Amino acid sequence: MPSTRSQSQSAIPFPKKKNAQTRSTEASRARTKSENCSTLALPLSPLPLSPRKRLGDENLCNIPQTLSCSPPKQSRKENGQTSTPKGRRLLFDENQAAATPVSPLKKVQDPYRLSPLKRGQETPSGSRNHRLQERKTAGVQLFKQEGSCYQKAKHALNTAIPERLLARESETAFIKTFLTSHVSDGKPGSLYISGAPGTGKTACLNKLLQESKDDLQQCKTVYINCMSLRSSQAVFPAIAEEISGGKSSLAAKDLVRSLEKLVTSKGPIILLVLDEMDQLDSRGQDVLYTVFEWPWLTNSRMVLIGIANALDLTDRILPRLQARPRCRPQLLNFSPYTKDQIATILQDRLNTVSGDQVLDNAAIQFCARKISAVSGDARKALDICRRAVEIVEADVRGQTVLKPLTECGSPCKEVPLNPVPKKVSLPHISRVLSDVYGDKMASREGSSESFPLQQKLLVCALLLITRQSKIKEVTLGKVHEAYSKVCRKQQVPGVGQSECLSLCQLLETRGILGLKKAKEARLTKVSLKIEERDVEHAFKDKVLIGNVLNSGI
């Protein structure tokens, strides 16, 4: 045991005793280090220090504490105010800001600068927001670009339903009488409205329904656009959903029976409006027959209004209705707009815009004459005029710059500006017509005959196809191809395929052609509904027809 303790104690290292030579060496090193520090500190004393170092490190280089600091760093106690808690710093001192002198340049007040509210000062609520709004308004009124008249004109030429419908007074009165005698009196019935696209069929009916809301409160109004349906049979689920307010899971035959029970049961009058009714064309026409027979069922409370382009849909497609005169609907045809009617519609739209008129009178007459010769579509006339306004607006924007409204810095005095920098003239309308109908179509003079030249050539092209192929129904693509060849041989400018479809629809309303629509326009089937000798009698132009038929395709 004694030997173990002695070994452990001998293992602990003890500090060695320093001899005299070691102590003298360390003392000399300490003196050298202190001298170096003193020599380095001498040049630092006269250098300027930041305010934070002046306050925070008092022992550095023995700087006296009486050194004055910047005003924001002084304590509030020295300014005669109570001191703030330690560690907090005031960003803004009202008393010190008031005592601080302001340079003469800063004394100039900005008229749009918002001054801070003083203590005790009462101002009306929202005054600060009002001054902000004035500042924004003043900034906006400094500059203005010419051309606001074009924006108003384009808005007026929109194809939406206008406040009043011109040149359709007799048709509007007929529909109103029908609604009064059937819907208001609770008497079932049916009405079929026909006419070319853009003649105001749907617009007149919708406007009357809006005006007669109070009178129609007691009835259930159901409006369905058949163009939105996937098939003709889909009209029955759509009607059931509108009437009952929920989707039906019944089969097609069971759904038709349930609708018949619903129509003949007690309740308010049901006003059913089917727009684009010719889309319900099916094999055997079962859908159209069923719909037209609903108002004449026993104890029926159905009032039907159908809208389509074909004039003779009920006579040609639904011959069974002719055998039952009681089921025949009332007929109303919307004829295409004439030149004077289109000009009146355009002029009335532009008169709603305050200030000078954007379109020249000659341009309006020119547009009306061309559109009435091709289709009589008022929407097409509005689109062409609006496009012409956009062209002129683009030209004006490219030539004008921002002009100040103020003189000498006064926002009250406005520089007089021309309200209409540039009017839409006849060349602008001609340019748009060239883009739509072809270059030569715009310069062609209008025809005062009952059938325009383009319609005659189209029917002649269809006659040539039926003669050669002996097929009654031809696709629109083939008809347009033959029509283009006929126009080249006769040295007459032709129209595009889309406008060719418009011509076919117009001829359909007159009972000359028959159309079966398809998903693609070029696949629409076109057929001739009259004999060849009747075509010569209707056109009253044997020379043209004989020349075209003899020359062939």
Side-chain angles (χ1 to χ4, degrees):
M1 291 298 291
S3 62
T4 305
R5 179 178 295 179
S6 62
Q7 291 177 1
S8 62
Q9 289 178 356
S10 62
I12 297 174
F14 290 96
K16 297 180 180 181
K17 294 183 180 181
K18 297 181 181 180
N19 52 19
Q21 184 178 359
T22 303
R23 287 196 297 269
S24 63
T25 304
E26 291 180 357
S28 63
R29 288 180 181 176
R31 286 194 301 270
T32 306
K33 186 176 181 180
S34 62
E35 290 176 0
N36 292 336
C37 290
S38 61
T39 55
L40 290 174
L42 285 175
L44 293 176
S45 58
L47 291 177
L49 299 176
S50 62
R52 185 178 300 275
K53 290 183 179 180
R54 292 173 183 173
L55 289 176
D57 197 355
E58 297 176 355
N59 297 326
L60 182 63
C61 301
N62 297 326
I63 297 177
Q65 298 182 4
T66 59
L67 184 64
S68 60
C69 59
S70 59
K73 300 298 188 298
Q74 292 178 354
S75 63
R76 300 187 67 177
K77 188 173 183 180
E78 295 177 4
N79 290 332
Q81 301 177 5
T82 58
S83 61
T84 57
K86 187 177 181 181
R88 295 183 60 185
R89 181 184 174 188
L90 294 177
L91 297 179
F92 179 76
D93 192 352
E94 295 180 358
N95 297 328
Q96 184 176 351
T100 305
V102 183
S103 62
L105 293 177
K106 292 185 179 180
K107 291 182 179 180
V108 180
Q109 296 182 355
D110 185 358
Y112 301 117
R113 185 172 182 176
L114 302 177
S115 59
L117 297 178
K118 297 180 181 179
R119 292 182 179 178
Q121 183 180 359
E122 295 181 359
T123 57
S125 61
S127 61
R128 192 174 184 87
N129 295 333
H130 179 67
R131 284 182 289 171
L132 279 171
Q133 187 65 28
E134 287 182 352
R135 183 175 181 180
K136 293 180 181 179
T137 305
V140 171
Q141 290 181 351
L142 287 178
F143 296 98
K144 182 179 180 182
Q145 189 173 14
E146 297 177 351
S148 60
C149 56
Y150 300 119
Q151 297 290 338
K152 296 178 181 178
K154 288 190 297 182
H155 180 72
L157 293 172
N158 193 6
T159 56
I161 299 177
E163 296 181 358
R164 55 176 180 169
L165 292 169
L166 301 177
R168 288 292 180 251
E169 290 79 9
S170 59
E171 291 83 353
T172 303
F174 187 93
I175 299 175
K176 191 173 184 179
T177 303
F178 175 83
L179 292 175
T180 303
S181 60
H182 289 82
V183 178
S184 300
D185 298 343
K187 179 182 176 181
S190 58
L191 171 65
Y192 175 68
I193 302 174
S194 62
T199 53
K201 306 182 297 296
T202 306
C204 283
L205 181 59
N206 288 340
K207 188 169 181 60
L208 284 175
L209 293 179
Q210 291 291 333
E211 293 176 353
S212 307
K213 268 188 174 181
D214 297 337
D215 300 335
L216 300 177
Q217 287 182 353
Q218 302 299 327
C219 76
K220 175 68 176 179
T221 304
V222 178
Y223 178 87
I224 296 176
N225 191 329
C226 299
M227 287 288 289
S228 61
L229 302 176
R230 294 183 178 180
S231 63
S232 58
Q233 294 289 336
V235 69
F236 298 119
I239 295 173
E241 182 178 354
E242 291 290 335
I243 295 177
S244 60
K247 293 184 178 180
S248 177
S249 59
L250 298 176
K253 294 183 179 179
D254 298 335
L255 184 59
V256 173
R257 294 193 190 98
S258 64
L259 284 175
E260 290 179 357
K261 292 181 181 180
L262 184 63
V263 167
T264 55
S265 61
K266 292 183 179 180
I269 289 291
I270 300 174
L271 176 60
L272 176 61
V273 180
L274 297 177
D275 200 358
E276 304 291 345
M277 196 178 191
D278 48 359
Q279 297 298 313
L280 301 180
D281 187 10
S282 61
R283 181 178 298 178
Q285 311 301 338
D286 295 336
V287 177
L288 286 174
Y289 276 124
T290 302
V291 172
F292 272 107
E293 288 173 356
W294 277 347
W296 308 109
L297 297 175
T298 306
N299 299 325
S300 175
R301 52 190 179 99
M302 170 74 74
V303 177
L304 173 66
I305 298 180
I307 304 173
N309 297 332
L311 175 63
D312 56 347
L313 182 140
T314 55
D315 298 336
R316 174 171 47 86
I317 300 179
L318 307 174
R320 259 183 8 201
L321 295 179
Q322 305 301 322
R324 302 173 61 184
R326 185 168 173 263
C327 297
R328 293 184 61 182
Q330 300 184 38
L331 303 179
L332 176 62
N333 180 47
F334 279 68
S335 58
Y337 285 107
T338 63
K339 177 189 67 175
D340 297 334
Q341 290 174 343
I342 293 177
T344 303
I345 291 172
L346 295 176
Q347 192 69 49
D348 182 73
R349 292 288 190 99
L350 294 172
N351 288 339
T352 58
V353 181
S354 59
D356 294 344
Q357 187 167 298
V358 176
L359 267 77
D360 192 15
N361 189 29
I364 295 176
Q365 295 295 331
F366 181 74
C367 179
R369 185 170 69 250
K370 296 305 176 185
I371 297 301
S372 62
V374 176
S375 61
D377 190 342
R379 291 179 299 187
K380 184 71 70 176
L382 292 171
D383 291 338
I384 288 175
C385 291
R386 187 171 63 253
R387 174 58 183 151
V389 172
E390 291 175 355
I391 292 175
V392 175
E393 182 184 16
D395 294 342
V396 171
R397 283 183 177 179
Q399 296 175 3
T400 58
V401 295
L402 293 175
K403 298 182 178 181
L405 289 179
T406 59
E407 294 179 352
C408 302
S410 176
C412 298
K413 296 181 180 180
E414 294 187 357
V415 178
L417 296 173
N418 185 11
V420 182
K422 185 179 180 181
K423 285 191 175 184
V424 178
S425 58
L426 192 146
H428 299 106
I429 299 293
S430 178
R431 175 181 171 184
V432 179
L433 287 170
S434 299
D435 297 338
V436 176
Y437 296 104
D439 295 336
K440 297 181 180 179
M441 182 62 191
S443 60
R444 185 175 66 86
E445 291 296 329
S447 176
S448 59
E449 300 175 1
S450 58
F451 285 88
L453 178 61
Q454 300 293 334
Q455 296 181 14
K456 293 179 181 180
L457 296 176
L458 182 63
V459 174
C460 290
L462 183 58
L463 281 173
L464 288 173
I465 297 175
T466 53
R467 275 186 178 185
Q468 293 179 359
S469 60
K470 296 182 181 181
I471 299 176
K472 292 184 178 181
E473 292 183 350
V474 186
T475 60
L476 180 64
K478 293 182 179 180
V479 173
H480 181 260
E481 183 180 354
Y483 159 78
S484 301
K485 293 179 181 179
V486 170
C487 290
R488 284 195 295 269
K489 285 189 176 182
Q490 299 297 323
Q491 296 181 355
V492 176
V495 299
Q497 186 169 317
S498 60
E499 298 305 325
C500 183
L501 178 60
S502 300
L503 293 177
C504 292
Q505 291 172 346
L506 189 60
L507 289 168
E508 183 189 20
T509 60
R510 298 191 177 189
I512 304 297
L513 299 182
L515 295 179
K516 288 186 177 180
K517 294 184 179 180
K519 292 183 178 180
E520 297 182 14
R522 63 183 182 85
L523 299 179
T524 302
K525 293 184 178 181
V526 185
S527 60
L528 191 63
K529 292 302 177 183
I530 60 176
E531 300 294 333
E532 184 175 338
R533 60 178 180 273
D534 296 331
V535 172
E536 296 179 356
H537 177 73
F539 288 168
K540 298 178 182 180
D541 196 345
K542 293 183 179 180
V543 177
L544 175 65
I545 296 175
N547 188 16
V548 173
L549 295 180
N550 292 331
S551 60
I553 300 176

